[in-house]
Every structure is written in C-alpha cells, then in structure tokens.
C-alpha cells in the first residue's frame, strides 16, 4: 500500500547543481529519486520543501514522497521507516544522508505545509585560510562593521516586498515575505548571519547577505536598505553572496 513518507535530509551541496533535478546533472532531488526508484521498482517523485541553489548545503531539508515500501525480496513485507532510511543511506553517496523517515498524512506536502525556514550564512574573518572549512564558508577580507549591519538588518525585518532581493527577473508571483529575525554573531574567526522567515525568494538570503556585507564594509549606508526595499529593483541591492557559505538549517511545520 502506498503511503506518504516525510524525509529529513542533510547534504553537502558542493558538487551538486542544486536541489531540483536537471537532465545529465547531479542534483540532490535526482539522487534521492534514483535510490527510491531502485527500491520500489518504479519512478518515485520526491517533493522538497524548497529548491536550494547549486553549491548550497542543508542540515535539515524536508521532503516527502508517496510510495509502496514493500520489500519484494522478503515476501512483500512492508519496510519500516527506519528500514527505508537504512536502505536509502546504503545507496546514497556519502555527501547525502537521510536523518529521519516518518509516515505522514496523505495530505502532507513538504513545501506547501511549511510555515517557516531557517538559513545560516557563514563567513570566515580570520587572517589565514580556512583550509578544512573552505567549502562551507565565504572568506572575507577584513572584519565588517557589525553595528552597521545590525542597523541595516532591522530595516529588513518584518513583512516587506522583497522584489529587490529576488534573483528571478521573471518572477510573476507575489514577492512579499516576512522575515521574523536576522541574527548576526561573531565567534572567533567565524561570522554567521542567521535568517528566519515564512519563506524566501530565489537567491533572497544570499542577496540580503551580500547587501548587509556592503553595509558592513561601508560601501552602503544602513538606511539605504529602505530605499532598496521601496525601489523594488534587483539592481539596487548588493551582490549575491557566494553559494558555499549558505546552509538550510531547519524547516518549520505546525
């Protein structure tokens, strides 16, 4: 019997072309679908809570898939959620791991039922090279002004039209989103920017990060963010921060 399963996934996105499957390219969704298709003997569609960009990582991506978990080699006995997880982890590459599998209601949809997401962007501000973390951080040339960045972040917090922070020029849906919090912290040689909101547009977190760093290095003023939001043009905001520093931490559900 086909059931709807919720998957919690962790992955290193360094060598992948993002989440969404693409012809002749390695993607996270493609790898998951290949393994489940092998297990079930028919194509299984995996639906993700979002579409991380090429090179972006995740510690808590959520997806769901509907399939029959019968183990034909064991007389059709239904695999338990833990057995599904073990099977997938056996055949997935080492840079993708299934943290948890659980049965969900038939109406559960990992994307449409999500109520919030947390992303973290990590920068390295040390004087040497981050040799072992180089695939997961963006190295900055110097230390930005955190007070100015926090002032600018306050203008970004709340419900706004984030059209200026959207990387999709053909976006024809609403670009209004709510950013509940932006937390900027330094610990040793690492600077982290954590974002929580009800949802994010394409490249939105990376563009917000790039803009806040422009403020931090005094190439923009904190109150420029007000003008950027009001202008609703991508060209007004700062650069898109590199992908490798970004990680999806958690997806919220009621």
């Amino acid at each position: 019997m086909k059931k709807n399963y919720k998957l919690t996934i962790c992955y290193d996105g360094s060598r992948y072309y993002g989440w969404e499957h693409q012809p002749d390219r390695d993607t996270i969704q493609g790898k998951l679908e290949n393994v489940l298709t092998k297990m079930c003997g028919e194509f299984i569609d995996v639906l993700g809570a979002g579409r991380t960009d090429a090179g972006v990582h995740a510690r808590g991506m959520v997806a769901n898939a509907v399939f029959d978990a019968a183990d034909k080699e064991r007389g059709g006995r239904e695999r338990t959620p833990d057995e599904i997880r073990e099977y997938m982890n056996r055949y997935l590459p080492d840079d993708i791991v299934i943290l948890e599998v659980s049965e969900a209601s038939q109406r559960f949809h990992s994307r449409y039922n999500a109520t919030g997401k947390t992303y973290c962007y990590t920068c390295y501000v040390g004087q040497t090279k981050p040799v072992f973390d180089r695939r997961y951080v963006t190295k900055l040339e110097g230390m930005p002004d955190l007070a100015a960045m926090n002032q600018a972040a306050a203008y970004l917090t709340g419900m706004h039209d984030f059209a200026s922070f959207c990387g999709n020029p053909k976006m024809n849906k609403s670009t209004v989103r709510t950013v509940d919090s932006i937390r900027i912290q330094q610990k040793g040689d690492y600077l982290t920017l954590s974002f929580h909101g009800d949802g994010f547009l394409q490249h939105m977190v990376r563009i917000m990060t790039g803009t806040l760093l422009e403020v931090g290095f005094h190439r923009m003023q904190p109150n420029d963010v007000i003008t950027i939001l009001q202008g609703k043009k991508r060209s007004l905001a700062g650069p898109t921060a590199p992908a490798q520093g970004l990680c999806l931490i958690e997806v919220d559900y009621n």
Side-chain angles (χ1 to χ4, degrees):
M1 182 177 69
K2 289 189 175 183
K3 295 181 179 180
N4 191 14
Y5 291 93
K6 177 185 176 183
L7 315 174
T8 305
I9 310 147
C10 175
Y11 54 84
D12 176 343
S14 300
R15 70 182 185 94
Y16 295 98
Y17 288 88
W19 167 269
E20 191 174 17
H21 49 204
Q22 301 179 45
D24 303 319
R25 286 186 167 181
D26 283 340
T27 66
I28 305 298
Q29 185 183 38
K31 292 294 186 184
L32 296 171
E33 289 178 343
N34 287 344
V35 171
L36 282 176
T37 296
K38 175 182 174 68
M39 186 183 83
C40 298
E42 61 178 351
F43 175 74
I44 303 300
D45 188 18
V46 175
L47 306 171
R51 301 172 182 175
T52 52
D53 303 326
V56 172
H57 319 289
R59 290 186 179 273
M61 171 62 92
V62 175
N64 72 287
V66 177
F67 56 87
D68 185 345
D71 187 345
K72 296 178 182 179
E73 295 181 357
R74 297 185 180 181
R77 183 183 66 81
E78 185 178 88
R79 292 180 175 88
T80 66
D82 283 348
E83 288 172 336
I84 296 170
R85 182 190 63 188
E86 290 168 6
Y87 181 98
M88 294 186 72
N89 285 336
R90 187 182 313 133
Y91 292 104
L92 282 169
D94 289 342
D95 48 12
I96 305 175
V97 64
I98 306 298
L99 300 176
E100 183 180 8
V101 176
S102 61
E103 290 185 25
S105 72
Q106 289 295 326
R107 298 177 64 86
F108 174 75
H109 192 291
S110 59
R111 179 182 175 190
Y112 298 139
N113 293 144
T115 57
K117 294 176 184 174
T118 302
Y119 282 91
C120 182
Y121 196 95
T122 304
C123 302
Y124 181 79
V125 294
Q127 296 183 353
T128 57
K129 296 179 180 180
V131 174
F132 297 109
D133 292 333
R134 66 189 184 281
R135 292 188 298 179
Y136 314 107
V137 302
T138 293
K139 188 178 187 306
L140 302 182
E141 299 302 325
M143 183 68 191
D145 181 342
L146 300 190
M149 291 176 68
N150 276 304
Q151 186 180 345
Y155 294 126
L156 289 172
T157 304
M159 180 185 290
H160 302 287
D161 187 333
F162 285 95
S164 295
F165 295 87
C166 179
N168 180 3
K170 298 180 180 179
M171 184 74 172
N172 55 14
K173 296 181 181 179
S174 173
T175 48
V176 175
R177 297 291 186 275
T178 299
V179 176
D180 300 313
S181 65
I182 301 175
R183 186 173 59 184
I184 303 170
Q185 295 180 305
Q186 181 193 0
K187 187 174 182 180
D189 290 337
Y190 296 89
L191 174 67
T192 59
L193 295 85
S194 297
F195 301 83
H196 183 271
D198 60 1
F200 296 92
L201 304 166
Q202 184 177 8
H203 297 167
M204 179 174 160
V205 175
R206 292 166 60 193
I207 297 170
M208 287 194 294
T209 298
T211 302
L212 291 173
L213 288 172
E214 288 293 283
V215 172
F217 287 114
H218 300 150
R219 293 188 283 265
M220 285 183 175
Q221 297 302 312
N223 59 6
D224 287 344
V225 170
I226 301 173
T227 304
I228 294 169
L229 286 168
Q230 293 173 344
K232 301 179 184 179
K233 293 182 180 179
R234 169 66 188 94
S235 59
L236 297 174
T240 304
Q244 76 269 11
L246 184 60
C247 185
L248 171 62
I249 302 299
E250 187 176 14
V251 183
D252 302 332
Y253 296 92
N254 289 333

